Amino acid sequence: MTKFQPVNRKIKFKDWIAFENDDYIVINKPAFMSTLADRKGEICVLDLSKDYCSDSSVCHRLDKETSGALLIAKSKDAYKHASKQFTERTVEKTYHAVAEGVHQFENEIIDKPLLIAPSGSVRISASKGKKSSTVVSSLEYYKFHTLVSCKPITGRMHQIRIHMASVGAPLMADLTYGGKHLYLSELKKKYKFKTEKEERPLMSRVALHAFSLKFIDLQGNEQYIECPYPKDFRVVLNQLAKNI
């Protein structure tokens, strides 16, 4: 039997719940929490969901840094039902991201095969990569950035991040794939430095949020759930809007 870590009682799993019925839960996952257990042995979403509902299973994954909508099944039957939809690619996942540069995307399909190397790195490979497709649309324009909607048709590791970088629109703070940190001093002309402290970036993680999820529940009903932006994402958008 798998042993789960004792849950930190200061973490309130119930506060993350965006949707719940008899068979499923959708949480608004906070950034910097792993979906499943990692090598560091830190508390993960699965641990917390098991504490809330002992038969629960996570139906898909979000990167540790990524916040937003995550589907959890409350039984084996519910998990099988959801897994079938993910396999058949009928679950609609929509991510919002802040891309560097001003770009006009209108349901643009980025179709570039991705290869996961033995080292764990991911890259585009026309000869060896697996088919990977993302539909991208622009939502808001700022002075040097664009808020975009990304709908992955496939679900490859780092797919959105690599696809956006491949069209010259890397995600803000995605240092792995060409993005850069954004500082308030870059936006405000009269920004006053605090000489005793090093300036911190407005966002310390990749600017990517799983905004919504659409699936069919065990009763045959279509469920569409939106997850509000977390504080760090809202702060970035507010600052970008103020300094156009």
Side-chain angles (χ1 to χ4, degrees), residues 26-29 60 62 67-71 210-213 225 227:
V26 176
I27 64 166
N28 191 350
K29 185 186 90 66
H60 60 121
L62 292 178
S67 57
L70 184 67
L71 181 62
F211 180 71
S212 67
L213 193 66
I225 299 93
C227 288

Side-chain angles (χ1 to χ4, degrees), residues 137-152:
S137 295
S138 298
L139 299 175
E140 297 286 345
Y141 303 98
Y142 305 102
K143 192 172 183 179
F144 300 113
H145 297 82
T146 307
L147 176 66
V148 295
S149 166
C150 302
K151 293 184 178 182

Side-chain angles (χ1 to χ4, degrees), residues 7-241:
V7 172
N8 182 344
R9 299 300 170 181
K10 292 182 180 180
I11 299 175
K12 295 184 178 180
F13 181 80
K14 289 187 69 173
D15 291 346
W16 302 346
I17 296 176
F19 166 85
E20 182 176 11
N21 65 10
D22 291 340
D23 303 300
Y24 295 102
I25 302 167
V26 176
I27 64 166
N28 191 350
K29 185 186 90 66
F32 303 112
M33 174 166 283
S34 297
T35 302
L36 303 177
D38 59 21
R39 294 176 182 177
K40 295 181 180 179
E42 299 173 348
I43 291 293
C44 65
V45 170
L46 181 61
D47 294 332
L48 297 168
S49 70
K50 289 285 187 183
D51 188 62
Y52 181 79
C53 174
S54 60
D55 292 329
S56 64
S57 301
V58 176
C59 298
H60 60 121
R61 300 187 190 187
L62 292 178
D63 288 346
K64 187 172 184 178
E65 289 188 30
T66 304
S67 57
L70 184 67
L71 181 62
I72 298 170
K74 297 168 76 174
S75 68
K76 290 182 179 178
D77 287 343
Y79 178 77
K80 289 179 181 178
H81 184 69
S83 293
K84 185 173 185 290
Q85 293 176 71
F86 278 104
T87 300
E88 295 176 349
R89 299 174 183 170
T90 57
V91 177
E92 184 177 290
K93 297 178 287 181
T94 302
Y95 293 75
H96 286 184
V98 180
E100 294 187 0
V102 180
H103 309 274
Q104 293 186 336
F105 297 117
E106 293 185 14
N107 290 320
E108 180 170 331
I109 299 176
I110 303 174
D111 192 1
K112 299 183 179 183
L114 299 180
L115 174 67
I116 301 178
S119 63
S121 63
V122 186
R123 62 182 176 85
I124 294 171
S125 174
S127 59
K128 298 181 180 180
K130 291 184 178 180
K131 180 176 175 58
S132 307
S133 302
T134 307
V135 180
V136 184
S137 295
S138 298
L139 299 175
E140 297 286 345
Y141 303 98
Y142 305 102
K143 192 172 183 179
F144 300 113
H145 297 82
T146 307
L147 176 66
V148 295
S149 166
C150 302
K151 293 184 178 182
I153 298 172
T154 52
R156 310 300 181 199
M157 180 178 176
H158 295 179
Q159 176 176 312
I160 292 173
R161 296 165 60 184
I162 296 175
H163 276 176
M164 293 302 295
S166 74
V167 295
L171 303 190
M172 190 182 76
D174 191 354
L175 307 185
T176 302
Y177 299 111
K180 300 185 296 294
H181 284 306
L182 179 66
Y183 297 90
L184 192 57
S185 59
E186 297 173 358
L187 298 176
K188 288 190 173 183
K189 293 181 180 179
K190 296 182 180 180
Y191 179 80
K192 293 183 179 180
F193 288 92
K194 294 181 179 180
T195 54
E196 71 279 5
K197 292 184 178 181
E198 183 179 353
E199 185 182 5
R200 294 183 178 181
L202 283 172
M203 200 168 192
S204 58
R205 65 179 177 97
V206 178
L208 182 63
H209 175 72
F211 180 71
S212 67
L213 193 66
K214 185 191 292 185
F215 67 100
I216 304 298
D217 69 17
L218 208 53
Q219 309 307 315
N221 300 313
E222 182 179 271
Q223 301 292 349
Y224 173 76
I225 299 93
E226 291 184 353
C227 288
Y229 299 145
K231 183 179 179 181
D232 61 351
F233 207 93
R234 294 197 310 270
V235 166
V236 165
L237 295 183
N238 287 339
Q239 289 297 335
L240 291 175

